[in-house]
């Protein structure tokens, strides 16, 4: 699997299920796959080291890469 992008779905999971899902996704990443997650779940901000955040501004949007 070269790349996988997940658009949400984490908001309906409990904390243990989120960690289980992240373990699977980290396995894909360790096998040189690209994993992208689109989410609003705060827990993911704390556990995912590399992020692209989009902040809504008055005159458009701002990207923050960390």
């Amino acid at each position: 699997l070269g790349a996988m992008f997940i658009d949400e779905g984490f908001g309906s999971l409990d904390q243990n299920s989120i960690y289980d899902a992240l373990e699977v996704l980290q396995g894909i990443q360790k096998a040189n796959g690209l994993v992208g997650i689109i989410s609003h779940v705060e827990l993911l901000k704390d556990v995912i080291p590399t992020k692209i955040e989009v902040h809504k501004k008055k005159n458009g949007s701002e990207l923050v890469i960390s």
Side-chain angles (χ1 to χ4, degrees):
L1 184 62
M4 175 186 288
F5 288 88
I6 300 171
D7 185 5
E8 254 324 318
F10 289 94
S12 61
L13 300 177
D14 61 44
Q15 185 173 346
N16 289 334
S17 297
I18 290 174
Y19 283 121
D20 290 343
L22 288 175
E23 268 188 54
V24 172
L25 297 174
Q26 286 171 343
I28 294 169
Q29 185 182 24
K30 287 178 182 173
N32 294 320
L34 173 67
V35 176
I37 299 172
I38 300 167
S39 183
H40 68 278
V41 176
E42 289 295 320
L43 174 65
L44 295 177
K45 287 183 180 181
D46 297 334
V47 298
I48 296 176
T50 305
K51 300 177 256 318
I52 299 173
E53 295 184 53
V54 179
H55 298 273
K56 185 177 178 180
K57 299 287 186 173
K58 190 176 185 177
N59 296 322
S61 300
E62 173 187 53
L63 287 177
V64 177
I65 301 172
S66 58

